[in-house]
């Protein structure tokens, strides 16, 4: 093993990175501490709150439960990578703003990443299914009705990309 850690390659928000990672480093800690991508939040650090949700190859995951070394070759999208290169917000980000789907904002990056993944999965066909499939993302402020409304709007508009 190299002195600096195990070499891995990740594509993070569209940029390929060559990294040396200690085997115990979580994807969350790598993103926040090494890559300075602090939009992804550390909440419970046990996979129970969803604040750390990012997209791994387009699928939503709790980054606090994923060891970075096991994700070699993966594509990671964080909240910082959702907006377009032109600065335009992702449709889910726009809907969260429009529906005031946040209060303190701590859970918002994980909620948005989870919503993007949920919409890509295509399983939610109504507000009840959105609520069920977003149940792994906790909002201590209780902005759930607005979060569901934002996701439902994007789902109805077909903006899941």
């Amino acid at each position: 093993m190299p002195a600096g850690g195990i070499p891995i390659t990740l594509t993070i928000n569209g940029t390929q990175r060559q990294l040396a990672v200690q085997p115990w480093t979580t994807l969350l800690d790598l993103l926040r501490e090494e890559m300075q991508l602090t939009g992804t939040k550390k909440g419970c650090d046990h996979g129970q709150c969803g604040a750390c949700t990012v997209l791994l190859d387009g699928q939503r995951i709790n980054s606090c439960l994923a060891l970075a070394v096991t994700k070699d070759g993966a594509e990671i999208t964080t909240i910082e990578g959702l907006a377009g290169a032109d600065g335009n917000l992702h449709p889910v980000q726009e809907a969260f703003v429009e529906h005031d789907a946040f209060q303190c904002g701590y859970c918002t990056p994980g909620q948005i990443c989870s919503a993007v993944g949920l919409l890509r999965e295509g399983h939610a066909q109504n507000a009840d299914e959105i609520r069920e499939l977003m149940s792994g993302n906790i909002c201590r402020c209780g902005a759930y009705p607005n979060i569901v409304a934002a996701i439902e709007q994007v789902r109805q508009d077909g903006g899941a990309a």
Side-chain angles (χ1 to χ4, degrees):
M1 180 169 87
I6 297 170
I8 64 169
T9 301
L10 294 174
T11 301
I12 302 172
N13 297 330
T15 302
Q16 191 174 73
R17 308 281 183 171
Q18 304 291 326
L19 304 161
V21 180
Q22 297 300 324
W24 54 83
T25 303
T26 64
L27 182 57
L28 172 61
D29 288 338
L30 176 71
L31 293 169
R32 288 186 56 79
E33 305 301 327
E34 302 299 324
M35 307 307 301
Q36 303 304 307
L37 295 170
T38 57
T40 304
K41 302 301 184 210
K42 184 179 277 202
C44 68
D45 215 17
H46 295 287
Q48 297 177 353
C49 73
C52 68
T53 304
V54 297
L55 300 172
L56 175 90
D57 297 328
Q59 301 293 311
R60 54 197 173 139
I61 67 158
N62 290 330
S63 62
C64 73
L65 297 179
L67 292 175
V69 295
T70 67
K71 304 309 174 195
D72 187 25
E75 183 174 330
I76 310 296
T77 304
T78 68
I79 190 70
E80 293 92 345
L82 285 179
D86 58 2
N88 288 327
L89 295 178
H90 185 280
V92 174
Q93 291 172 308
E94 288 179 349
F96 267 63
V97 171
E98 182 179 324
H99 287 272
D100 194 25
F102 45 86
Q103 288 182 28
C104 80
Y106 196 83
C107 74
T108 304
Q111 295 277 0
I112 289 173
C113 285
S114 190
V116 170
L118 165 82
L119 291 165
R120 285 182 183 160
E121 291 164 9
H123 299 304
Q125 301 304 310
N126 57 51
D128 286 337
E129 290 177 357
I130 291 170
R131 277 191 279 285
E132 176 65 27
L133 294 168
M134 288 291 292
S135 65
N137 290 81
I138 307 298
C139 173
R140 292 183 67 188
C141 300
Y144 296 116
N146 299 18
I147 291 168
V148 171
I151 298 168
E152 179 68 4
Q153 175 191 313
V154 177
R155 187 193 68 77
Q156 288 177 353
D157 292 348

